[in-house]
Amino acid sequence: MRKAHLTKWIFSGLLVFSTVFFSADISAAAENECGTHGEDIIHQAYPAAQKTTELEFNIGNATLRLAADTFIGSDPHVIVCRLWPANPDLMLVAVPLMTKLSDYENEGDLDILVVENKSLQLRQRLRVKGIMNDDAIRIRGMTFDTARYQLAPGKTAFGIRIETEGSSRANPFGDTTLRLYTIDGEHLRSVLDNIVVRENVGEWDTTCAGNFQTTTRILTMARRTHGGAADIVVTETEAPSIFKVMPDGQCESFDEKKQIRKIQVTYDGKVYVVPRGLKREY
């Protein structure tokens, strides 16, 4: 039993975990490594882009936006870059192509680019349609996950994690989803789609009393293979808690027993087949 810090739990950002045999460097994952190259990357990948402000460009009906600093903050609609440790000559770039931006609803695709680190020449790209759409459940952040997802000898995947947060105070909700991509010849392709790696849910009286649960899922590459790629073992931990008003008027929290289980996710020759209960349900 402990004194509750409920408001902090509800409104704090979601901590991103990236673990494949080891814990990833969380602070590094929060750094945007575009540096001074953001505009050059845009010109290489989008020759028709028109600069409209110091940080914004238009291409067709879409808006591209550079980050104002080197930290991945609260704006999920800026271009994000990350050097790829598994392939040091390459840089990963995520480009939100936003066709609608408002306080209530956003719409957009995401271009995922692989560029040469020194020349910034475009190597591969993949457009993911509608991934930046949101409304009541808002996208709050996006980062690359460059843990060593070793699918097979000579073939490594990288991830993109997207954090969301619901708008209901009485029923707080937030999650982090992960997608994995790999280079396949001249193309970039998806190999794992939309697995939820962290989820916070709750129901409370907006003062104290309520029930909450945090679910985390850690991905580990296994030795066993199916379909030509290593299996993924997902270690899922469900941590429920209850908040109650005590006789002295204090709001106290009580942790209930954690539930831990392991789920094996296998490759079918094209993609990892993620069980429905582990995917984000729209």
Side-chain angles (χ1 to χ4, degrees):
M1 183 179 72
R2 63 183 186 276
K3 289 186 178 180
H5 296 285
L6 186 56
T7 302
K8 182 178 180 181
W9 183 90
I10 292 171
F11 295 104
S12 64
L14 297 178
L15 178 62
V16 177
F17 286 99
S18 174
T19 304
V20 180
F21 292 121
F22 54 90
S23 296
D25 183 353
I26 302 303
S27 61
E31 183 181 354
N32 193 338
E33 297 179 343
C34 292
T36 59
H37 302 305
E39 187 166 344
D40 293 332
I41 292 171
I42 290 176
H43 290 315
Q44 290 264 18
Y46 308 94
Q50 299 293 316
K51 189 172 184 178
T52 55
T53 70
E54 187 64 25
L55 297 175
E56 289 190 357
F57 298 77
N58 284 344
I59 177 72
N61 65 337
T63 298
L64 292 70
R65 186 187 301 167
L66 296 174
D69 52 39
T70 61
F71 179 73
I72 299 176
S74 59
D75 187 352
H77 304 122
V78 299
I79 296 174
V80 175
C81 303
R82 180 86 164 112
L83 297 176
W84 194 1
N87 294 280
D89 294 333
L90 301 178
M91 178 182 287
L92 308 171
V93 185
V95 184
L97 298 166
M98 304 307 298
T99 54
K100 183 176 183 179
L101 285 166
S102 75
D103 293 335
Y104 309 101
E105 184 180 16
N106 299 293
E107 294 179 0
D109 299 339
L110 184 68
D111 256 2
I112 306 170
L113 314 178
V114 179
V115 303
E116 294 183 1
N117 187 25
K118 293 183 178 179
S119 68
L120 302 182
Q121 181 177 348
L122 181 64
R123 292 275 298 270
Q124 289 90 13
R125 76 191 309 163
L126 177 68
R127 175 76 61 90
V128 186
K129 298 284 188 179
I131 194 175
M132 302 305 295
N133 295 355
D134 64 15
D135 42 47
I137 298 177
R138 303 301 295 270
I139 295 174
R140 293 303 186 191
M142 176 176 60
T143 60
F144 279 107
D145 179 344
T146 55
R148 195 172 290 274
Y149 294 101
Q150 191 77 40
L151 308 185
K155 185 172 287 293
T156 304
F158 64 87
I160 290 181
R161 292 176 178 245
I162 295 180
E163 300 175 16
T164 68
E165 185 177 73
S167 58
S168 171
R169 188 164 184 265
N171 298 97
F173 170 85
D175 73 4
T176 301
T177 56
L178 170 67
R179 295 167 172 82
L180 295 182
Y181 302 91
T182 191
I183 294 175
D184 190 357
E186 297 299 315
H187 303 283
L188 189 64
R189 67 183 184 88
S190 170
V191 291
L192 182 147
D193 186 52
N194 214 26
I195 186 172
V196 178
V197 291
R198 186 171 178 88
E199 181 180 67
N200 289 331
V201 296
E203 183 177 2
W204 68 311
D205 62 5
T206 72
T207 302
C208 172
N211 297 282
F212 301 88
Q213 180 168 289
T214 296
T215 301
T216 57
R217 297 186 178 100
I218 297 174
L219 277 61
T220 304
M221 307 306 295
R223 296 181 182 277
R224 188 174 179 178
T225 64
H226 285 89
D231 293 355
I232 296 176
V233 176
V234 180
T235 303
E236 177 185 87
T237 302
E238 294 181 346
S241 59
I242 298 174
F243 285 75
K244 297 180 180 180
V245 179
M246 305 307 290
D248 62 0
Q250 291 291 324
C251 183
E252 302 285 351
S253 65
F254 301 83
D255 292 336
E256 298 191 311
K257 184 178 179 181
K258 292 182 179 180
Q259 301 292 325
I260 300 175
R261 64 172 182 150
K262 293 184 181 294
I263 306 106
Q264 184 168 289
V265 178
T266 59
Y267 190 73
D268 68 359
K270 295 182 179 179
V271 296
Y272 283 94
V273 181
V274 180
R276 184 173 181 180
L278 272 62
K279 296 187 71 170
R280 169 81 179 275
E281 299 295 339
Y282 291 96

